[in-house]
């Protein structure tokens, strides 16, 4: 790697989309951001914004057949701004990979064996890992000489002790089929827990934080001294909090009941719990802004969905307070956590005995900056910390290839 190679391209490849950012790690600035969506459909869309050049957002719609064509289109957009993939300033490409199992506990330079292991994990991440693999292979074909680094959603959670990670099922069956709690949103939980410590003026190893990553997908984590000791998602991202379309925690016997009584097969139940449950199943909307609007208009079903969502949040805050023993901060992040003041207020309301409170005026402020929203007298800080998973992936990627 040359001395002036300070750029990292971050790729997040989904089943029909590619999100990307190009960052300069000399100062952490973003040079370009973009999204390709509806890959493989009749009309695909590419949106690209060249931040370094101060240019306007460019959008175009045309069929993009596959991920290879999508990444070539991304490369063309970057080249048009003088930021092409052939630039000697590009140090590496960092890939978000959702499931790394227990083998990958840190960012990893991708080689054939790493790819094989990611493929072996497809059965426990059938919606995510195949798309991640496609993105990796395509990027390798475009720049075979460049380091490609996998940053795993599960890595931050591999520090969970066995008593938190194990399910209480037959050990031989669990081990044979890799059944255990892995957790997800790890790059977000790592970034936010560290930023929360900085906000408190302390080192991460001196702070215990409950992180609430609340987006369409939602998860909680208990972080003790910079290490995850528990998290709400499990073998898959279905477990835990109420989410936009996912049920979160549910009695496993519901699956057997639906099969026996409703005649539903496993695929139908899978779709029900992952895509037709959560907020959208409860009230028909998974956008918290719309749900709050409906509540303001007196909609009882929206109000019930909100109450169920908050009840689950409170249960996890209480549970993780017990797990940690001492809590220094509760940090809200992601789309809902960062922007929905009523969610933050409701989640903390009634938890004064745990040392939690929010200041109404501070909570109402909208900002892109990390900030405290708790009153000075509160024993536990309540923070809003905008997450930055792309920057976290870029930092981890650049640190690895620099060394």
């Amino acid at each position: 790697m040359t001395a002036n190679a300070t750029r990292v391209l971050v790729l997040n490849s989904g089943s029909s989309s590619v999100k990307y950012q190009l960052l300069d790690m000399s100062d952490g600035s973003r040079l370009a951001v973009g999204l390709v969506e509806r890959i493989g459909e009749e009309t695909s869309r590419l949106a690209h914004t060249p931040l370094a050049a101060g240019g306007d957002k460019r959008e175009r719609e045309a069929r993009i057949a596959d991920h290879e064509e999508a990444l070539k289109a991304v490369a063309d957009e970057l080249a048009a701004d003088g930021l092409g993939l052939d630039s000697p300033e590009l140090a590496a490409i960092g890939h978000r990979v959702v499931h790394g199992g227990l083998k990958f506990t840190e960012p990893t330079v991708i080689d054939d064996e790493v790819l094989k292991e990611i493929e072996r994990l497809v059965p426990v991440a059938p919606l995510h890992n195949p798309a991640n693999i496609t993105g990796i292979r395509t990027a390798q074909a475009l720049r075979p000489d460049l380091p490609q680094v996998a940053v795993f959603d599960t890595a931050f959670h591999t520090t969970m002790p066995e008593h938190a990670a194990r399910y209480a099922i037959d050990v031989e069956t669990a081990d044979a089929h890799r059944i255990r709690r892995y957790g997800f949103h790890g790059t977000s939980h790592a970034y936010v827990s560290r930023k929360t410590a900085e906000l408190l003026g302390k080192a991460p190893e001196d702070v215990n934080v409950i992180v609430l990553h609340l987006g369409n997908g939602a998860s909680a984590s208990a972080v003790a001294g910079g290490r995850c000791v528990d998290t709400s998602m499990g073998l898959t991202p279905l477990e835990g909090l109420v989410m936009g379309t996912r049920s979160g925690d549910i009695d496993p016997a519901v699956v057997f009941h639906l099969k026996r009584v409703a005649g539903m097969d496993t695929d139908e139940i899978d779709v029900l719990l992952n895509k037709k449950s959560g907020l959208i199943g409860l009230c028909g909307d998974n956008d918290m802004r719309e749900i709050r609007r409906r509540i303001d208009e007196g909609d009882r079903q929206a109000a019930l969905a909100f109450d169920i969502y908050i009840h689950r949040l409170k249960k996890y805050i209480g549970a993780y307070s017990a797990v940690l023993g001492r809590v220094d901060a509760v940090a809200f992040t992601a789309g809902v956590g960062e922007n929905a003041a009523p969610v933050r207020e409701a989640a903390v309301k009634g938890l004064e005995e745990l040392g939690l409170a929010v200041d109404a005026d501070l909570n109402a402020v909208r900002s892109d900056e990390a900030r405290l929203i708790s009153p000075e007298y509160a024993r536990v800080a309540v923070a809003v910390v905008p997450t930055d998973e792309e920057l976290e992936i870029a930092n981890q990627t650049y640190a690895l290839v620099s060394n």
Side-chain angles (χ1 to χ4, degrees), residues 330-390:
V330 173
F332 289 87
T333 193
V336 175
E338 294 169 27
N339 298 299
V343 168
R344 299 191 295 259
E345 178 186 6
V348 170
K349 186 177 181 180
L351 302 183
E352 291 80 10
E353 289 298 316
L354 296 179
L356 291 161
V358 297
D359 180 286
D361 292 334
L362 294 175
N363 189 37
V365 173
R366 293 183 68 89
S367 172
D368 293 332
E369 300 296 322
R371 60 200 184 277
L372 295 178
I373 59 171
S374 48
E376 291 186 6
Y377 65 79
R379 189 171 76 249
V380 177
V382 180
V384 180
V385 181
T387 192
D388 198 331
E389 294 174 273
E390 289 77 16

Side-chain angles (χ1 to χ4, degrees), residues 215-217 238 241-248 270-288 290-291 294 301-302 304-306 308-309:
N216 192 50
L238 180 59
L241 302 175
V242 175
M243 304 176 223
T245 66
R246 298 183 193 131
S247 66
D270 192 332
V271 170
L272 172 70
L273 297 181
N274 276 289
K275 297 182 178 180
K276 296 182 179 180
S277 296
L279 292 172
I280 204 162
L282 290 167
C283 70
D285 272 309
N286 62 335
D287 187 321
M288 187 58 70
E290 182 63 17
I291 290 171
R294 288 171 55 185
Q301 199 63 36
L304 177 60
F306 184 82
I308 293 170
Y309 183 93

Side-chain angles (χ1 to χ4, degrees), residues 1 5-11 20-26 29 31-32 89-95 146-147 149 390-391 393-399 401-402:
M1 191 174 88
T6 59
R7 296 176 182 173
V8 173
L9 177 63
V10 175
L11 294 177
Y20 64 94
Q21 291 195 15
L22 180 66
L23 299 95
D24 189 332
M25 304 316 297
S26 63
S29 62
L31 305 179
E89 295 178 73
L90 188 60
I93 298 177
H95 298 265
L146 200 67
V149 175
E390 289 77 16
L391 179 58
I393 292 170
N395 278 330
Q396 292 189 28
T397 297
Y398 190 67
V401 299
S402 296

